Amino acid sequence: MFGKGNQEHKADRVIRVYQAVSLAVGGFALFWTVIFLARGYTLLAFAEFFPVIAALVCFALVTRRRLDLFLLVAQISFLFFVIGFCLMFDVPQNGAPRVTHLFLPVLGMLAYINYLRRPSRLQLSVIAASLVSFVVLHAADLRLPFAQPVPPDLHRIGVWLNPAMAVLIFCGAIYVLQQRLSAPHGIARDLVAALRHGELSLAFQPQVDGKGDITGAEALLRWHHPAKGPIPPSTFIPAAEEVGLMPLVGNFVLEEALATLSRWQADPKLGRLTLSVNVSASQFNESDFEMTLRDLLARHRIDATRLRLELTESVLIAGLEPVAEKMASLKRLGLTFSLDDFGTGFSSLAYLRRLPVSELKIDRSFVTAAAENDRDAALVRSIRAIATDLGLETVAEGVETQAQLAFLKTTGCRLFQGYLFGRPMPLADFELSVLAPTPKPVLAPERSSPRLAAG
């Protein structure tokens, strides 16, 4: 339903801000390390080099988009460093205050941002420790008995440089927080307006059998903003999830999908097609989800077996038993279920035998690498074997090349989806491809390497 967009959005700008902050902190600490070494203060240089390493680790984590781990490492490492440096080296002297503790409010801000992403007691503890430490170190002349104060001439420089750097980093943290707080709600407001003004639509990507005949489609949600143009699902879906709009958006998709199936019933070619719709965990676990579907089915009077609901293991957040019961109840209405992104989670095999699914979707990441990588090829074969043993059908997603198709056929896979057969397209174009199809691509298995043909 949602697909993935490749446009740059606010999350990418936040990544760049984090990268810049990491490099700025590392460069600033390296500057002091060099100064201390040049003056012969080896212990001070050694202490100041610690944040250089921490900043490089943080930069690497941000680059890999490990934001949760980045924020945790930044918080813990710099919290201990700042407190230790203040007690050991940066102590008040000659009427000049300590200044390193000015970085503690920034750490508290980072902890708050991480708490918004994933609330936990650890984040609350870091926030409290940062703020309390800041107040105590600012108000009291605390120092270790064996403290070695920074030389007075360098301390006078630090009194100006450290606050300036702390202010710059604090501004960056405010920017990230502003993006974090305003972006989802701003997008959500636009999304509600888009639902009201008819800016959302469905695109349809063909699903074909081994002969290249179209057997169905997956409905993918698209948003074309009148001023901003196409907005990728990777931007608006997370925002909708965060502010609780997914049931509303999901109901729109179901309404459009059932209206489409109702229209197809009048045509002998279109009437045999199935339509797959992704259902988010938040939508599926709504208390009135089953009633909503019953009402839609009754109103549109469609053959319920033509509608397939695609779920991921995230629906199990409500618990295996209630999810299995709801699925069983919906299956009695004639609906079928597909397990999306199969093989990418950790608990798929544990719950697969309990859920009344009829189809597994082989994740595109496995399909892409299967023609070149033995391990991924083995995983695809294993998924096919599991499906065969359980009497389930499989759909291979992301098929883009003849080599991938040839390998998938050797595993016994019979249904395929991907750019090789068609990109997501408007409803009229999809219907035309079914009613007046163009020549099909050559789908006969090609000669493949012994590795791909094996097993």
Side-chain angles (χ1 to χ4, degrees):
M1 172 170 63
F2 309 132
K4 292 183 179 179
N6 55 9
Q7 295 185 9
E8 183 180 53
H9 48 83
K10 292 183 179 180
D12 298 308
R13 295 199 292 272
V14 170
I15 292 292
R16 290 200 297 273
V17 170
Y18 279 144
Q19 289 175 325
V21 169
S22 299
L23 292 177
V25 171
F28 187 67
L30 184 61
F31 166 79
W32 281 113
T33 301
V34 173
I35 294 296
F36 290 144
L37 277 177
R39 298 290 298 273
Y41 302 113
T42 306
L43 184 59
L44 269 171
F46 178 78
E48 196 66 50
F49 192 65
F50 172 80
V52 176
I53 296 176
L56 291 175
V57 171
C58 289
F59 180 84
L61 292 173
V62 172
T63 302
R64 291 177 171 83
R65 294 180 177 267
R66 302 287 301 279
L67 294 185
D68 289 329
L69 186 57
F70 153 72
L71 288 168
L72 187 60
V73 170
Q75 294 159 33
I76 301 300
S77 60
F78 285 101
L79 177 63
F80 281 105
F81 168 76
V82 170
I83 294 175
F85 196 85
C86 285
L87 295 177
M88 182 68 180
F89 302 108
D90 187 14
V91 297
Q93 51 183 298
N94 300 324
R98 62 163 52 98
V99 288
T100 308
H101 71 298
L102 296 177
F103 291 98
L104 289 172
V106 180
L107 293 179
M109 178 80 77
L110 287 174
Y112 180 61
I113 294 172
N114 211 17
Y115 178 80
L116 291 176
R117 289 172 56 85
R118 188 165 298 174
S120 69
R121 291 182 179 179
L122 177 60
Q123 300 304 328
L124 291 176
S125 299
V126 173
I127 295 172
S130 300
L131 298 181
V132 171
S133 299
F134 169 74
V135 173
V136 172
L137 290 172
H138 178 77
D141 183 9
L142 296 179
R143 65 183 72 194
L144 296 173
F146 46 87
Q148 299 183 23
V150 175
D153 56 336
L154 295 180
H155 188 264
R156 284 193 293 270
I157 298 175
V159 165
W160 289 96
L161 286 183
N162 281 22
M165 178 57 65
V167 167
L168 288 176
I169 298 175
F170 192 73
C171 289
I174 290 176
Y175 172 81
V176 172
L177 182 61
Q178 186 270 334
Q179 295 291 305
R180 176 64 180 75
L181 292 176
S182 66
H185 294 279
I187 294 175
R189 285 192 297 271
D190 289 347
L191 187 56
V192 172
L195 285 165
R196 194 165 54 243
H197 298 147
E199 298 169 14
L200 299 183
S201 63
L202 297 185
F204 298 80
Q205 186 169 33
Q207 295 175 339
V208 306
D209 61 16
K211 298 178 182 178
D213 294 325
I214 296 177
T215 62
E218 180 179 359
L220 303 165
L221 185 61
R222 295 294 182 260
W223 179 8
H224 190 91
H225 193 282
K228 301 176 183 177
I231 298 180
S234 58
T235 296
F236 68 83
I237 292 301
E241 288 277 12
E242 187 166 341
V243 299
L245 280 179
M246 279 313 298
L248 182 63
V249 174
N251 286 345
F252 165 82
V253 173
L254 285 174
E255 179 74 48
E256 292 294 305
L258 268 68
T260 300
L261 286 172
S262 178
R263 170 179 169 174
W264 286 355
Q265 283 187 145
D267 186 277
K269 286 187 177 181
L270 295 171
R272 60 179 175 79
L273 302 180
T274 60
L275 187 57
S276 298
V277 174
N278 282 272
V279 177
S280 69
S282 56
Q283 181 186 7
F284 183 85
N285 290 319
E286 284 283 305
S287 59
D288 63 345
F289 178 71
E290 183 178 347
M291 183 59 66
T292 298
L293 262 178
R294 287 179 181 272
D295 292 343
L296 287 172
L297 290 170
R299 178 149 45 90
H300 290 283
R301 299 180 180 179
I302 68 162
D303 177 2
T305 61
R306 296 298 177 188
L307 179 65
R308 180 160 294 141
L309 304 182
E310 294 190 6
L311 306 174
T312 64
E313 67 179 37
S314 60
V315 300
L316 295 177
I317 191 172
L320 178 59
E321 290 302 327
V323 169
E325 290 176 5
K326 182 178 288 189
M327 290 177 65
S329 178
L330 292 172
K331 188 174 182 180
R332 287 192 288 271
L333 298 177
L335 298 170
T336 57
F337 294 93
S338 177
L339 198 57
D340 201 9
D341 299 334
F342 184 77
T344 60
F346 297 101
S347 57
S348 298
L349 294 180
Y351 64 73
L352 183 58
R353 62 187 179 87
R354 302 287 303 279
L355 302 181
V357 298
S358 59
E359 178 184 274
L360 304 181
K361 298 197 78 172
I362 303 174
D363 187 70
R364 66 180 65 247
S365 61
F366 297 136
V367 172
T368 300
E372 304 295 336
N373 185 286
D374 288 321
R375 294 172 67 90
D376 288 280
L379 284 171
V380 173
R381 294 191 192 98
S382 298
I383 293 172
R384 271 295 307 153
I386 292 170
T388 300
D389 291 342
L390 296 177
L392 305 178
E393 189 56 84
T394 55
V395 177
E397 289 189 293
V399 182
E400 298 183 358
T401 68
Q402 288 286 347
Q404 293 168 359
L405 176 64
F407 164 69
L408 291 165
K409 284 191 170 185
T410 66
T411 68
C413 191
R414 298 185 298 177
L415 295 176
F416 313 93
Q417 179 181 338
Y419 288 174
L420 183 62
F421 315 105
R423 293 175 178 268
M425 62 189 78
L427 177 60
D429 293 343
F430 174 77
E431 291 177 344
L432 184 62
S433 69
V434 176
L435 299 175
T438 56
K440 304 169 190 173
V442 178
L443 298 186
E446 299 176 347
R447 182 181 297 276
S448 56
S449 66
R451 181 185 75 248
L452 297 182

